[in-house]
Amino acid sequence: MLADRLPEDWKHELRTAISSPSFLELERFVAEERKSATVFPSEEDLFSAFRLTPYADVKVLLLGQDPYHGPGQAHGLAFSVQPGVPPPPSLVNMFKELESDLKVPRPKSGSLIPWAKQGVLLLNAVLTVRQAEPNSHAGHGWEDFTDAVIRAVSAKQEPVVFLLWGKYAQKKKKLIDAKRHVVMEGTHPSPLSASNGFFGSKPFSKVNEALEARGRPTVDWHLSA
């Protein structure tokens, strides 16, 4: 069962969502898909974001859409690829902006595990995908589950910074208590849109400024070379 792989803290926060008819149907769907097709990420990596970022530690939520659909890439963290794997185009653009914003050197590997361990929840709206078929698992129940995740993070008393890049992510703004938390909307870093507002937007320094202003620890955005 999918829910068995969730850490206990998240299981508690999402108890209503994981007992819903929508989630039970989703479990059946993903199980059938894994029997008949190659599905990413692996079962072991499915909830990596939740394992690496405990609920109590979340201070930033960066929302992606669905996992990378190439072999060896997806490992349960939005925008991130497995350690040692070269960064895909959107992530390359993120690293370009990070270098411009904070003079952080561009890493060769695209693993964002160090960010996750500091309280950056790297959440995709859809958590599985068929190989070579982007968005193939959209509309099968993951959105209900991840909407519940966003609501659960919004329910935290401590202020959280929500990064919503692109129109798809920005539709989730209605799930967030903007009076308690910081919502930063911006252009998606994909090659199709990065030049229309992502480059030069300085999201990484702005996140740290917002955290510092609210008495929360900042993020060290450096990654392994």
Side-chain angles (χ1 to χ4, degrees):
M1 301 293 279
L2 292 177
D4 293 342
R5 295 186 175 276
L6 266 177
E8 289 301 321
D9 59 336
W10 282 105
K11 204 180 290 186
H12 174 75
E13 297 299 331
L14 301 169
R15 56 194 180 280
T16 301
I18 61 179
S19 61
S20 68
S22 168
F23 193 80
L24 298 176
E25 183 57 38
L26 171 66
E27 288 186 315
R28 286 191 286 271
F29 169 75
V30 174
E32 287 302 314
E33 284 284 282
R34 289 199 187 276
K35 289 178 187 175
S36 61
T38 300
V39 172
F40 299 130
S42 68
E43 288 187 27
E44 292 73 22
D45 285 336
L46 178 61
F47 291 128
S48 293
F50 303 91
R51 186 175 66 250
L52 291 166
T53 312
Y55 178 76
D57 295 351
V58 178
K59 60 188 178 187
V60 179
L61 190 155
L62 174 54
L63 185 65
Q65 193 161 349
D66 77 329
Y68 296 120
H69 52 85
Q73 292 182 312
H75 65 135
L77 302 178
F79 294 101
S80 180
V81 288
Q82 296 191 47
V85 175
S90 291
L91 190 51
V92 168
N93 288 339
M94 287 168 61
F95 290 162
K96 286 179 181 177
E97 179 59 21
L98 181 58
E99 184 176 44
S100 170
D101 184 3
L102 291 173
K103 305 296 182 283
V104 171
R106 293 185 216 175
K108 295 185 177 69
S109 169
S111 171
L112 304 182
I113 288 174
W115 295 359
K117 288 182 174 179
Q118 294 180 73
V120 180
L121 183 65
L122 298 163
L123 179 71
N124 276 319
V126 175
L127 298 189
T128 54
V129 68
R130 275 191 181 201
Q131 180 172 332
E133 296 183 40
N135 291 315
S136 50
H137 284 187
H140 288 279
W142 277 125
E143 294 90 344
D144 292 340
F145 172 76
T146 54
D147 280 0
V149 174
I150 294 169
R151 289 191 188 95
V153 174
S154 179
K156 285 171 64 78
Q157 291 303 306
E158 310 91 343
V160 173
V161 179
F162 289 81
L163 276 176
L164 306 180
W165 290 339
K167 291 179 181 177
Y168 181 89
Q170 287 159 15
K171 290 177 182 176
K172 307 294 184 178
K173 184 178 180 179
K174 63 183 182 292
L175 305 174
I176 303 163
D177 181 354
K179 293 179 181 177
R180 186 188 301 132
H181 305 294
V182 180
V183 180
M184 293 186 178
E185 300 176 78
T187 306
H188 196 278
S190 78
L192 295 174
S193 57
S195 296
N196 295 324
F198 180 75
F199 291 137
S201 62
K202 301 185 180 297
F204 305 100
S205 60
K206 287 177 180 175
V207 166
N208 278 349
E209 286 166 8
L211 290 170
E212 191 168 23
R214 288 155 182 81
R216 303 215 66 190
T218 56
V219 178
D220 178 357
W221 296 105
H222 287 79
L223 295 162
S224 302

